[in-house]
Amino acid sequence: MKNIVCVAMIAACSITLSAKDKTTFQIEVLGTDAWQRDVAIRHAGTNGTSNTNCDTNGSVNATTVGDYTNGNVNATTNCTTTTTPGSAAYVTHTAIQQESVHAIFPNAQHVTLWCQVGFRKCANLAPGTYQVEPDGDKAVRIYVYSIVSHKLMGKMKYRVSGD
């Protein structure tokens, strides 16, 4: 039910006054949790191989009488096998930085806003009031200003992930 109210709040704030002006509203950020998502990458193993080469040296002593041949064969065979072992399957891990922002929307609803580095620019937001604009029905863009110059550093997109 809370998710429906949150989506309705974002949708209501999505209505624009003109093509250029975006409707914005204020949220209060209570805190941010930075965390990492572990991504396991599985690598397949390989089969081993073997190759055998043989050399045969020898002589034939034969006697032919009419249509018949009798004889002896004296031979030696030397074989060499080369083996290349296979490799076992293995897993590597990589971590992807995540940010979970805990905020209060104007309708007093507590929400969690989520951002993953790599998909977009994320920041560990300090507690305080931030101006946001709706971005679709499940995301907002948070306006982030410089503490020193008070200039807009950018808009960071966060998805509404929970309440």
Coordinates of all heavy atoms in Angstrom, one line a residue, residues 64-151:
T64 N 63.0 -66.8 -49.0 CA 61.9 -67.1 -49.9 C 62.3 -68.4 -50.6 O 63.3 -68.5 -51.2 CB 61.6 -66.0 -50.8 OG1 61.3 -64.8 -50.1 CG2 60.4 -66.3 -51.8
V65 N 61.4 -69.4 -50.6 CA 61.6 -70.6 -51.4 C 60.3 -70.8 -52.2 O 59.2 -71.0 -51.6 CB 61.8 -71.8 -50.5 CG1 61.9 -73.1 -51.3 CG2 63.1 -71.6 -49.6
G66 N 60.3 -70.6 -53.5 CA 59.1 -70.7 -54.3 C 58.1 -69.6 -53.9 O 58.5 -68.4 -54.0
D67 N 56.9 -70.0 -53.6 CA 55.9 -69.1 -53.3 C 55.8 -68.8 -51.8 O 54.9 -68.1 -51.3 CB 54.5 -69.6 -53.7 CG 54.4 -69.6 -55.3 OD1 55.1 -68.8 -55.9 OD2 53.6 -70.3 -55.8
Y68 N 56.7 -69.4 -51.0 CA 56.7 -69.2 -49.6 C 57.8 -68.4 -49.1 O 58.9 -68.5 -49.5 CB 56.7 -70.6 -48.9 CG 55.5 -71.4 -49.3 CD1 55.6 -72.4 -50.2 CD2 54.3 -71.2 -48.7 CE1 54.6 -73.2 -50.6 CE2 53.2 -72.0 -49.0 CZ 53.4 -73.0 -50.0 OH 52.3 -73.8 -50.3
T69 N 57.4 -67.5 -48.1 CA 58.5 -66.7 -47.5 C 58.4 -66.9 -46.0 O 57.3 -66.8 -45.4 CB 58.2 -65.2 -47.7 OG1 58.3 -64.9 -49.2 CG2 59.3 -64.3 -47.1
N70 N 59.5 -67.2 -45.4 CA 59.6 -67.4 -43.9 C 60.6 -66.4 -43.4 O 61.6 -66.1 -44.1 CB 60.1 -68.8 -43.6 CG 59.0 -69.8 -43.9 OD1 57.9 -69.6 -43.7 ND2 59.5 -71.0 -44.2
G71 N 60.4 -65.9 -42.2 CA 61.3 -64.9 -41.7 C 61.0 -64.5 -40.3 O 60.0 -64.9 -39.7
N72 N 61.9 -63.7 -39.8 CA 61.7 -63.1 -38.5 C 61.7 -61.6 -38.6 O 62.5 -61.0 -39.4 CB 62.9 -63.5 -37.6 CG 62.9 -65.0 -37.3 OD1 61.8 -65.6 -37.2 ND2 64.0 -65.6 -37.2
V73 N 60.9 -61.0 -37.7 CA 61.0 -59.5 -37.6 C 61.5 -59.2 -36.2 O 61.1 -59.7 -35.2 CB 59.6 -58.9 -37.7 CG1 59.6 -57.4 -37.5 CG2 59.0 -59.2 -39.1
N74 N 62.5 -58.3 -36.2 CA 63.1 -57.8 -34.9 C 62.9 -56.3 -34.9 O 63.5 -55.6 -35.7 CB 64.6 -58.2 -34.8 CG 65.2 -57.9 -33.5 OD1 64.4 -57.6 -32.6 ND2 66.5 -58.0 -33.4
A75 N 62.0 -55.8 -34.0 CA 61.7 -54.4 -34.0 C 61.6 -53.9 -32.6 O 61.2 -54.6 -31.7 CB 60.4 -54.1 -34.8
T76 N 61.8 -52.6 -32.4 CA 61.7 -51.9 -31.2 C 60.8 -50.7 -31.4 O 61.1 -49.9 -32.3 CB 63.0 -51.5 -30.6 OG1 63.9 -52.7 -30.5 CG2 62.9 -50.8 -29.2
T77 N 59.8 -50.5 -30.5 CA 59.0 -49.3 -30.6 C 59.1 -48.5 -29.4 O 59.0 -49.0 -28.2 CB 57.5 -49.7 -30.7 OG1 57.3 -50.5 -31.9 CG2 56.6 -48.5 -30.8
N78 N 59.4 -47.2 -29.6 CA 59.5 -46.2 -28.4 C 58.4 -45.2 -28.6 O 58.3 -44.6 -29.6 CB 60.9 -45.5 -28.5 CG 62.0 -46.4 -28.2 OD1 61.9 -47.3 -27.3 ND2 63.1 -46.3 -28.9
C79 N 57.6 -45.0 -27.5 CA 56.5 -44.1 -27.5 C 56.8 -43.0 -26.4 O 57.3 -43.3 -25.4 CB 55.2 -44.8 -27.2 SG 54.7 -45.9 -28.5
T80 N 56.4 -41.8 -26.8 CA 56.4 -40.6 -25.9 C 55.1 -40.0 -25.8 O 54.5 -39.7 -26.8 CB 57.5 -39.6 -26.3 OG1 58.7 -40.2 -26.5 CG2 57.6 -38.4 -25.3
T81 N 54.5 -39.9 -24.6 CA 53.2 -39.2 -24.4 C 53.4 -37.9 -23.6 O 54.1 -37.8 -22.6 CB 52.3 -40.1 -23.5 OG1 52.1 -41.4 -24.2 CG2 50.9 -39.5 -23.3
T82 N 52.8 -36.9 -24.2 CA 52.9 -35.5 -23.6 C 51.5 -35.2 -23.1 O 50.5 -35.3 -23.9 CB 53.3 -34.5 -24.7 OG1 54.6 -34.9 -25.2 CG2 53.4 -33.1 -24.0
T83 N 51.3 -34.8 -21.9 CA 50.0 -34.5 -21.3 C 50.0 -33.1 -20.8 O 50.9 -32.6 -20.2 CB 49.8 -35.5 -20.1 OG1 49.8 -36.8 -20.5 CG2 48.4 -35.2 -19.5
T84 N 48.9 -32.4 -21.2 CA 48.7 -31.1 -20.7 C 47.5 -31.2 -19.8 O 46.4 -31.5 -20.3 CB 48.4 -30.1 -21.9 OG1 49.5 -30.1 -22.7 CG2 48.2 -28.7 -21.3
P85 N 47.6 -30.9 -18.5 CA 46.5 -31.0 -17.6 C 45.4 -29.9 -17.8 O 45.7 -28.8 -18.3 CB 47.1 -30.9 -16.2 CG 48.4 -30.1 -16.4 CD 48.8 -30.5 -17.8
G86 N 44.2 -30.2 -17.6 CA 43.1 -29.3 -17.7 C 43.1 -28.3 -16.5 O 43.9 -28.5 -15.5
S87 N 42.3 -27.3 -16.5 CA 42.2 -26.4 -15.4 C 40.8 -26.6 -14.7 O 39.8 -26.8 -15.3 CB 42.4 -25.0 -15.8 OG 41.4 -24.6 -16.7
A88 N 40.8 -26.4 -13.4 CA 39.6 -26.5 -12.7 C 38.7 -25.2 -12.9 O 39.3 -24.1 -13.1 CB 39.9 -26.7 -11.2
A89 N 37.4 -25.4 -12.7 CA 36.5 -24.2 -12.8 C 36.8 -23.4 -11.5 O 37.3 -23.9 -10.5 CB 35.1 -24.7 -12.8
Y90 N 36.6 -22.0 -11.7 CA 36.9 -21.1 -10.6 C 35.9 -20.0 -10.6 O 35.3 -19.7 -11.6 CB 38.4 -20.7 -10.5 CG 38.8 -19.8 -11.7 CD1 38.8 -18.5 -11.6 CD2 39.1 -20.4 -12.9 CE1 39.2 -17.7 -12.7 CE2 39.5 -19.7 -14.0 CZ 39.5 -18.3 -13.9 OH 39.9 -17.5 -15.0
V91 N 35.9 -19.3 -9.5 CA 35.0 -18.1 -9.4 C 35.8 -16.9 -8.9 O 36.7 -17.0 -8.1 CB 33.9 -18.4 -8.3 CG1 33.0 -17.2 -8.1 CG2 33.1 -19.6 -8.7
T92 N 35.6 -15.8 -9.6 CA 36.1 -14.5 -9.2 C 35.0 -13.6 -8.7 O 33.9 -13.8 -9.1 CB 36.9 -13.8 -10.3 OG1 36.0 -13.6 -11.4 CG2 38.1 -14.6 -10.8
H93 N 35.4 -12.6 -7.9 CA 34.4 -11.7 -7.3 C 34.7 -10.3 -7.6 O 35.9 -9.9 -7.7 CB 34.3 -11.9 -5.8 CG 33.7 -13.2 -5.4 ND1 32.4 -13.5 -5.2 CD2 34.4 -14.4 -5.2 CE1 32.2 -14.8 -4.9 NE2 33.4 -15.3 -4.9
T94 N 33.7 -9.5 -7.9 CA 33.9 -8.1 -8.0 C 32.8 -7.4 -7.2 O 31.7 -8.0 -7.0 CB 33.9 -7.6 -9.5 OG1 34.2 -6.2 -9.6 CG2 32.5 -7.8 -10.1
A95 N 33.0 -6.2 -6.8 CA 32.1 -5.5 -5.9 C 31.6 -4.2 -6.7 O 32.4 -3.5 -7.3 CB 32.7 -5.1 -4.6
I96 N 30.3 -3.9 -6.6 CA 29.7 -2.7 -7.2 C 29.1 -1.9 -6.1 O 28.3 -2.3 -5.3 CB 28.6 -3.1 -8.2 CG1 29.1 -4.0 -9.3 CG2 28.0 -1.9 -8.8 CD1 28.1 -4.6 -10.2
Q97 N 29.6 -0.6 -6.1 CA 29.2 0.3 -5.0 C 27.7 0.7 -5.2 O 27.2 0.9 -6.3 CB 30.0 1.6 -5.1 CG 29.8 2.6 -4.0 CD 30.3 2.1 -2.7 OE1 31.2 1.4 -2.6 NE2 29.5 2.5 -1.6
Q98 N 27.0 0.7 -4.1 CA 25.6 1.0 -4.0 C 25.4 2.1 -3.0 O 26.2 2.3 -2.0 CB 24.8 -0.2 -3.5 CG 25.1 -1.5 -4.2 CD 24.5 -1.6 -5.6 OE1 23.3 -1.4 -5.7 NE2 25.3 -2.0 -6.5
E99 N 24.3 2.9 -3.1 CA 23.9 3.9 -2.1 C 22.4 3.7 -1.9 O 21.6 3.6 -2.8 CB 24.1 5.3 -2.7 CG 25.6 5.7 -3.0 CD 26.5 5.8 -1.8 OE1 26.0 6.1 -0.7 OE2 27.7 5.8 -1.9
S100 N 22.1 3.7 -0.6 CA 20.6 3.6 -0.2 C 20.4 4.9 0.6 O 21.0 5.1 1.7 CB 20.3 2.4 0.6 OG 20.4 1.2 -0.1
V101 N 19.6 5.8 0.1 CA 19.2 7.1 0.8 C 17.9 6.9 1.5 O 16.9 6.5 0.8 CB 19.2 8.2 -0.3 CG1 18.8 9.5 0.4 CG2 20.6 8.4 -1.0
H102 N 17.9 7.2 2.7 CA 16.6 7.1 3.5 C 16.1 8.6 3.6 O 16.8 9.5 4.1 CB 16.9 6.6 4.9 CG 17.6 5.2 4.8 ND1 17.0 4.1 4.4 CD2 18.9 4.9 5.0 CE1 17.9 3.1 4.4 NE2 19.1 3.6 4.8
A103 N 14.8 8.7 3.1 CA 14.3 10.1 3.0 C 12.8 10.1 3.3 O 12.2 9.0 3.4 CB 14.5 10.6 1.5
I104 N 12.3 11.3 3.5 CA 10.9 11.5 3.8 C 10.3 12.4 2.7 O 10.9 13.5 2.4 CB 10.7 12.2 5.1 CG1 11.2 11.4 6.3 CG2 9.2 12.4 5.4 CD1 11.2 12.0 7.6
F105 N 9.3 11.9 2.0 CA 8.6 12.7 0.9 C 7.7 13.7 1.6 O 7.3 13.6 2.8 CB 7.9 11.7 0.0 CG 8.7 11.2 -1.1 CD1 10.1 11.0 -1.0 CD2 8.1 10.8 -2.3 CE1 10.8 10.5 -2.0 CE2 8.9 10.3 -3.4 CZ 10.2 10.1 -3.2
P106 N 7.2 14.7 0.8 CA 6.3 15.7 1.3 C 5.0 15.2 2.0 O 4.5 15.8 2.8 CB 6.0 16.6 0.1 CG 7.1 16.3 -0.8 CD 7.5 14.9 -0.6
N107 N 4.6 14.0 1.6 CA 3.4 13.4 2.2 C 3.7 12.7 3.5 O 2.9 11.9 4.0 CB 2.7 12.5 1.2 CG 3.5 11.3 0.8 OD1 4.7 11.2 1.2 ND2 2.9 10.4 0.0
A108 N 4.9 12.9 4.0 CA 5.4 12.3 5.3 C 5.7 10.8 5.1 O 5.9 10.1 6.1 CB 4.4 12.5 6.4
Q109 N 5.7 10.3 3.9 CA 6.1 8.9 3.7 C 7.6 8.7 3.7 O 8.3 9.4 3.0 CB 5.5 8.4 2.3 CG 5.8 6.9 2.1 CD 5.3 6.4 0.8 OE1 4.9 7.2 0.0 NE2 5.4 5.1 0.6
H110 N 8.0 7.7 4.5 CA 9.4 7.3 4.5 C 9.7 6.4 3.4 O 9.0 5.4 3.1 CB 9.8 6.6 5.8 CG 9.7 7.5 7.0 ND1 10.9 7.9 7.7 CD2 8.7 8.2 7.6 CE1 10.5 8.7 8.7 NE2 9.2 8.9 8.7
V111 N 10.8 6.7 2.6 CA 11.2 5.9 1.4 C 12.7 5.6 1.5 O 13.4 6.3 2.1 CB 10.8 6.6 0.1 CG1 9.3 6.7 0.0 CG2 11.5 7.9 -0.1
T112 N 13.0 4.6 0.7 CA 14.5 4.3 0.5 C 14.7 4.5 -1.0 O 14.0 4.0 -1.9 CB 14.8 2.9 0.8 OG1 14.6 2.7 2.2 CG2 16.3 2.6 0.6
L113 N 15.7 5.4 -1.3 CA 16.1 5.6 -2.7 C 17.4 4.9 -3.0 O 18.3 5.0 -2.2 CB 16.2 7.1 -2.9 CG 15.0 8.0 -2.6 CD1 15.3 9.5 -2.7 CD2 13.8 7.7 -3.5
W114 N 17.5 4.2 -4.1 CA 18.6 3.4 -4.4 C 19.3 3.8 -5.6 O 18.7 4.3 -6.6 CB 18.2 1.9 -4.6 CG 19.2 1.0 -5.1 CD1 20.2 0.5 -4.5 CD2 19.3 0.6 -6.5 NE1 21.0 -0.3 -5.4 CE2 20.4 -0.3 -6.6 CE3 18.5 0.8 -7.6 CZ2 20.7 -0.9 -7.8 CZ3 18.9 0.2 -8.8 CH2 20.0 -0.6 -8.9
C115 N 20.7 3.8 -5.6 CA 21.5 4.1 -6.7 C 22.7 3.1 -6.8 O 23.2 2.8 -5.8 CB 22.0 5.5 -6.6 SG 23.0 6.1 -8.0
Q116 N 23.0 2.7 -8.0 CA 24.2 1.8 -8.2 C 25.2 2.5 -9.1 O 24.9 2.9 -10.3 CB 23.7 0.5 -8.9 CG 24.9 -0.5 -9.2 CD 24.4 -1.8 -9.7 OE1 23.7 -2.5 -9.0 NE2 24.8 -2.2 -10.9
V117 N 26.4 2.6 -8.6 CA 27.5 3.2 -9.4 C 27.7 2.3 -10.7 O 27.6 1.1 -10.6 CB 28.8 3.2 -8.6 CG1 30.0 3.7 -9.4 CG2 28.6 4.2 -7.4
G118 N 28.0 2.9 -11.8 CA 28.1 2.2 -13.0 C 26.9 2.4 -13.9 O 27.1 2.6 -15.1
F119 N 25.7 2.4 -13.4 CA 24.6 2.8 -14.1 C 24.4 4.3 -14.2 O 23.9 4.9 -15.1 CB 23.3 2.2 -13.5 CG 23.2 0.7 -13.7 CD1 22.9 -0.1 -12.6 CD2 23.4 0.1 -14.9 CE1 22.8 -1.5 -12.8 CE2 23.4 -1.3 -15.1 CZ 23.0 -2.0 -14.0
R120 N 24.8 5.0 -13.1 CA 24.7 6.4 -13.0 C 25.6 6.9 -11.9 O 26.2 6.2 -11.2 CB 23.2 6.8 -12.6 CG 22.7 6.1 -11.4 CD 21.2 6.4 -11.2 NE 20.4 5.9 -12.3 CZ 19.8 4.7 -12.3 NH1 20.0 3.9 -11.3 NH2 19.1 4.3 -13.3
K121 N 25.7 8.3 -11.8 CA 26.5 8.9 -10.7 C 25.7 8.9 -9.4 O 24.5 9.2 -9.4 CB 26.8 10.3 -11.1 CG 27.7 11.0 -10.2 CD 28.2 12.4 -10.5 CE 27.5 13.3 -11.4 NZ 28.0 14.6 -11.5
C122 N 26.4 8.4 -8.3 CA 25.7 8.3 -7.0 C 26.5 9.1 -6.0 O 27.7 9.4 -6.2 CB 25.7 6.9 -6.6 SG 24.8 5.8 -7.7
A123 N 25.9 9.5 -4.9 CA 26.6 10.2 -3.9 C 26.1 9.8 -2.5 O 24.9 9.4 -2.4 CB 26.4 11.7 -4.0
N124 N 27.0 9.8 -1.5 CA 26.6 9.6 -0.1 C 26.1 10.9 0.4 O 26.8 11.8 0.8 CB 27.8 9.1 0.6 CG 27.5 8.5 2.0 OD1 26.6 9.1 2.7 ND2 28.1 7.4 2.3
L125 N 24.7 11.1 0.4 CA 24.1 12.4 0.7 C 24.1 12.6 2.2 O 23.7 11.7 3.0 CB 22.7 12.4 0.1 CG 22.6 12.3 -1.4 CD1 21.2 12.3 -1.8 CD2 23.4 13.4 -2.1
A126 N 24.5 13.8 2.6 CA 24.4 14.1 4.0 C 22.9 14.4 4.4 O 22.1 14.8 3.5 CB 25.2 15.4 4.3
P127 N 22.6 14.2 5.7 CA 21.2 14.6 6.1 C 20.9 16.0 5.8 O 21.8 16.9 5.9 CB 21.2 14.3 7.6 CG 22.3 13.3 7.8 CD 23.4 13.7 6.7
G128 N 19.7 16.3 5.4 CA 19.3 17.7 5.0 C 18.1 17.7 4.1 O 17.6 16.6 3.7
T129 N 17.8 18.8 3.6 CA 16.7 19.0 2.6 C 17.2 19.1 1.2 O 18.2 19.9 1.0 CB 15.9 20.3 3.0 OG1 15.4 20.1 4.3 CG2 14.7 20.4 2.1
Y130 N 16.6 18.4 0.3 CA 17.1 18.4 -1.1 C 15.9 18.6 -2.0 O 14.8 18.2 -1.7 CB 17.7 17.1 -1.5 CG 19.1 16.8 -0.8 CD1 19.1 16.3 0.5 CD2 20.3 17.1 -1.4 CE1 20.3 16.1 1.2 CE2 21.5 16.9 -0.8 CZ 21.5 16.3 0.5 OH 22.7 16.1 1.1
Q131 N 16.2 19.3 -3.1 CA 15.2 19.5 -4.2 C 15.3 18.4 -5.1 O 16.4 17.9 -5.5 CB 15.5 20.9 -4.9 CG 14.5 21.2 -5.9 CD 14.9 22.5 -6.6 OE1 15.9 23.1 -6.4 NE2 14.0 23.0 -7.4
V132 N 14.1 17.8 -5.5 CA 14.1 16.7 -6.4 C 13.1 16.9 -7.5 O 12.1 17.7 -7.4 CB 13.8 15.4 -5.7 CG1 14.8 15.0 -4.7 CG2 12.4 15.3 -5.1
E133 N 13.3 16.2 -8.6 CA 12.3 16.3 -9.7 C 11.9 14.8 -10.0 O 12.8 14.0 -10.0 CB 12.7 17.0 -10.9 CG 13.8 16.3 -11.8 CD 14.2 17.1 -13.0 OE1 14.5 18.3 -12.9 OE2 14.3 16.5 -14.1
P134 N 10.7 14.5 -10.3 CA 10.3 13.2 -10.7 C 10.9 12.8 -12.0 O 11.1 13.6 -12.9 CB 8.8 13.2 -10.8 CG 8.4 14.5 -10.1 CD 9.5 15.4 -10.2
D135 N 11.3 11.5 -12.1 CA 11.8 11.0 -13.4 C 11.1 9.7 -13.6 O 11.5 8.6 -13.2 CB 13.3 10.8 -13.3 CG 14.0 10.4 -14.6 OD1 13.2 10.0 -15.5 OD2 15.2 10.5 -14.7
G136 N 10.0 9.7 -14.3 CA 9.1 8.6 -14.5 C 8.3 8.3 -13.2 O 8.2 9.2 -12.4
D137 N 7.8 7.1 -13.1 CA 6.9 6.9 -11.9 C 7.6 6.1 -10.8 O 7.0 5.9 -9.8 CB 5.7 6.2 -12.3 CG 5.9 4.8 -13.0 OD1 7.1 4.5 -13.3 OD2 5.0 4.1 -13.2
K138 N 8.9 5.8 -11.0 CA 9.6 5.1 -10.0 C 11.0 5.6 -9.6 O 11.8 4.9 -9.0 CB 9.8 3.6 -10.3 CG 8.4 2.9 -10.4 CD 8.6 1.4 -10.7 CE 7.2 0.8 -10.7 NZ 7.3 -0.7 -11.0
A139 N 11.3 6.8 -10.1 CA 12.6 7.4 -9.8 C 12.5 8.9 -9.6 O 11.5 9.6 -10.0 CB 13.5 7.1 -11.0
V140 N 13.5 9.5 -9.0 CA 13.6 10.9 -8.9 C 15.1 11.4 -9.2 O 16.0 10.6 -9.1 CB 13.3 11.4 -7.4 CG1 11.8 11.2 -7.1 CG2 14.1 10.7 -6.4
R141 N 15.2 12.6 -9.6 CA 16.5 13.2 -9.7 C 16.7 14.2 -8.6 O 16.0 15.1 -8.4 CB 16.7 13.9 -11.1 CG 16.6 12.9 -12.2 CD 17.1 13.6 -13.6 NE 17.0 12.6 -14.6 CZ 18.0 11.8 -15.0 NH1 19.1 11.8 -14.3 NH2 17.8 11.0 -16.0
I142 N 17.8 13.9 -7.8 CA 18.1 14.8 -6.7 C 19.1 15.9 -7.1 O 20.1 15.6 -7.7 CB 18.7 14.0 -5.5 CG1 17.6 12.9 -5.1 CG2 19.0 14.9 -4.3 CD1 18.1 12.0 -4.0
Y143 N 18.8 17.1 -6.8 CA 19.6 18.2 -7.2 C 20.7 18.3 -6.1 O 20.4 18.4 -4.9 CB 18.9 19.6 -7.2 CG 17.9 19.7 -8.3 CD1 16.8 18.9 -8.5 CD2 18.1 20.7 -9.3 CE1 15.9 19.0 -9.5 CE2 17.2 20.9 -10.3 CZ 16.1 20.0 -10.4 OH 15.2 20.2 -11.5
V144 N 22.0 18.2 -6.5 CA 23.1 18.3 -5.5 C 23.9 19.5 -5.8 O 24.4 19.7 -6.9 CB 23.9 17.0 -5.6 CG1 25.1 17.1 -4.6 CG2 23.1 15.8 -5.4
Y145 N 24.0 20.4 -4.7 CA 24.8 21.6 -4.8 C 26.1 21.6 -4.1 O 26.2 20.9 -3.1 CB 23.9 22.8 -4.3 CG 22.7 23.1 -5.1 CD1 21.5 22.4 -4.9 CD2 22.7 24.0 -6.1 CE1 20.4 22.6 -5.7 CE2 21.6 24.2 -6.9 CZ 20.4 23.6 -6.7 OH 19.3 23.8 -7.4
S146 N 27.0 22.3 -4.5 CA 28.3 22.4 -3.8 C 28.1 23.2 -2.5 O 27.4 24.2 -2.4 CB 29.3 23.2 -4.7 OG 30.5 23.6 -4.0
I147 N 28.8 22.7 -1.5 CA 28.7 23.3 -0.1 C 29.5 24.7 -0.2 O 29.1 25.6 0.5 CB 29.3 22.4 0.9 CG1 28.4 21.2 1.1 CG2 29.4 23.1 2.3 CD1 29.0 20.1 2.0
V148 N 30.5 24.7 -1.0 CA 31.4 25.9 -1.0 C 30.8 27.0 -1.9 O 30.5 28.1 -1.5 CB 32.8 25.6 -1.5 CG1 33.7 26.8 -1.6 CG2 33.4 24.6 -0.5
S149 N 30.5 26.7 -3.2 CA 30.1 27.7 -4.2 C 28.6 27.7 -4.3 O 28.1 28.7 -4.9 CB 30.7 27.3 -5.5 OG 30.1 26.2 -6.1
H150 N 27.8 26.8 -3.8 CA 26.4 26.7 -3.9 C 25.9 26.6 -5.3 O 24.8 26.9 -5.6 CB 25.7 27.9 -3.2 CG 26.1 28.0 -1.7 ND1 25.7 27.1 -0.8 CD2 26.9 28.9 -1.1 CE1 26.2 27.5 0.4 NE2 27.0 28.6 0.2
K151 N 26.8 26.1 -6.2 CA 26.4 25.9 -7.6 C 25.9 24.5 -7.8 O 26.4 23.6 -7.1 CB 27.6 26.1 -8.5 CG 28.0 27.6 -8.6 CD 29.1 27.8 -9.6 CE 29.5 29.2 -9.7 NZ 30.7 29.4 -10.6

